[in-house]
Amino acid sequence: MALSEQEIYQGFIDWLGTAWIGLPAADELLPLIRARYSPEDAALLTGMPFSPKSLEELAQLKGLDKDTLGATLDTLAKKGIVYCLDKAGTRFYSLNDSFFTFLRSSFWPGRTDEVSAAMAPLVNQYYLHGYFDQYAHIHVRGLRALPIEETVHEVGMHKVLPYEDVAKVLDAQDYFCVAVCPCRHRKNLDPASPNCTYSTENCLHFGNLAHYMVTNGLGRQISREEAHAILRRAADEGLVHGVSNWVKGVDTICNCCKCCCMWFESFHVLKHTKSMDASNYLIKANPETCKACGLCVKRCPMEALRIEDSEQAGNKKGKAAIPDTTLCIGCGVCVHKCPTRSLKLVHRGKVIDPPADPRDHVKRFFLDRQSG
């Protein structure tokens, strides 16, 4: 007996929920799945591995003709719901998990079509209604603050580590692409969300991920020089560089705003104890030169600065910028535009290394989830 559409979708939800991140029950879940996956997609992808498999392996698993299946999977890759990778002349495919599909790939191209417009408000509500609660007790976030170039220097015995040096992070890459910021785009597509005025095409990706995105129309290839220019413009705008939170195999630098970023929203709206992971730096202010203009307060995504009375203030107002170092993530956004250079990033005094690679990152996620 053939399965009903409802049964097909439920079976797919059950399978998709077995990935590293689950699918908590919520009113938005089924409508969201329907918006992104056709019944035929859901039926085919139920049981498809989340780790890369060759087309031959998948054809055998599904009992389908290899060429027909390959054409279908290539189409699904262009939708961002299947990952594909060419290695040593063989193409491998895997099912993208819900985090990748809902919060990243579906909105990278910046499309305003019917599917994107239907998904955006559903993703936004699902995020708030349980989906991102899975991160509430996770200590290692998906992104880590990457200090803006030239806001940190060697401080005493502490040298700038390669994974916290923007130039060195980019120099380690061999292929670059840029996509639309998925967080800002889904917010801007949602009539219930305030329109974000920050620029959108500044989500940078590298290596295999970048190849996948360019091949499937999810981003466009750029040069190393263009990547540097995008980062400079983002810094001027007041956006936070958020880099893949591991040392080896970095594939992403987002440029994040407080109003749309999933990590800042988790802190400010969901009231998680942290946003993205902090760098090994924090802010230090000099009240004697501060003119209390308030620009740093406006730019800080963590609300870690405020203008207060200060006996050390060197201006007629008697006020200065006072940092809350417990909130500072060491991004350098405030330092970058301080007109009197009264702010600087200093080393925290203790190096906290990120996970070694994506596998280590997922391992830490599971450990936190089990203990939390």
Side-chain angles (χ1 to χ4, degrees), residues 20-226:
W20 67 272
I21 191 164
L23 286 176
D27 291 342
E28 299 83 13
L29 178 55
L30 181 56
L32 176 55
I33 293 291
R34 288 179 180 273
R36 176 70 287 187
Y37 307 88
S38 70
E40 293 76 18
D41 295 342
L44 175 65
L45 297 175
T46 299
M48 181 171 175
F50 296 99
S51 56
K53 301 295 180 184
S54 68
L55 184 58
E56 288 76 9
E57 291 175 289
L58 291 172
Q60 185 175 9
L61 175 68
K62 289 291 181 178
L64 297 172
D65 173 72
K66 183 181 71 171
D67 294 336
T68 302
L69 178 60
T72 300
L73 292 177
D74 286 340
T75 298
L76 296 179
K78 294 185 183 303
K79 295 181 179 181
I81 59 182
V82 163
Y83 193 85
C84 59
L85 172 68
D86 293 317
K87 186 175 181 180
T90 300
R91 174 159 287 193
F92 295 85
Y93 298 91
S94 57
L95 175 61
N96 287 332
D97 58 66
S98 61
F99 187 102
F100 191 99
T101 300
F102 295 163
L103 298 178
R104 304 183 75 192
S105 62
S106 293
F107 300 104
W108 276 332
R111 298 172 184 141
T112 57
D113 61 331
E114 185 177 343
V115 171
S116 301
M119 284 187 67
L122 292 170
V123 172
N124 292 338
Q125 289 302 305
Y126 189 39
Y127 172 96
L128 296 173
H129 295 162
Y131 184 66
F132 223 69
D133 287 347
Q134 298 176 86
Y135 259 102
H137 304 292
I138 304 299
H139 295 94
V140 179
R141 312 303 253 189
L143 294 179
R144 185 182 71 258
L146 179 65
I148 290 172
E149 194 169 11
E150 298 180 355
T151 63
V152 295
H153 305 279
E154 293 186 8
V155 184
M157 62 181 291
H158 299 288
K159 293 185 177 181
V160 181
L161 295 168
Y163 61 75
E164 292 193 306
D165 185 319
V166 173
K168 289 183 179 178
V169 170
L170 290 187
D171 287 346
Q173 312 305 327
D174 61 1
Y175 189 87
F176 303 79
C177 92
V178 64
V180 167
C181 168
C183 296
R184 274 194 288 284
H185 188 57
R186 65 179 164 81
K187 292 285 188 177
N188 286 338
L189 281 177
D190 186 351
S193 295
N195 190 57
C196 180
T197 58
Y198 289 105
S199 60
T200 56
E201 196 191 32
N202 45 31
C203 198
L204 299 177
H205 302 279
F206 320 113
N208 288 336
L209 178 60
H211 278 287
Y212 160 74
M213 294 172 67
V214 172
T215 299
N216 291 287
L218 305 175
R220 65 180 179 89
Q221 184 180 359
I222 59 173
S223 66
R224 187 188 311 275
E225 291 71 27
E226 287 176 291

Side-chain angles (χ1 to χ4, degrees), residues 258-297:
K258 171 187 171 183
C259 52
C260 300
C261 169
M262 70 179 85
W263 305 107
F264 289 128
E265 190 173 18
S266 72
F267 177 79
H268 291 293
V269 179
L270 297 179
K271 304 304 179 184
H272 292 184
T273 56
K274 64 190 304 185
S275 57
M276 65 177 66
D277 276 9
S279 75
N280 284 310
Y281 296 84
L282 52 78
I283 193 65
K284 183 178 181 179
N286 181 1
E288 294 181 0
T289 58
C290 176
K291 66 177 184 179
C293 67
L295 181 60
C296 59
V297 175

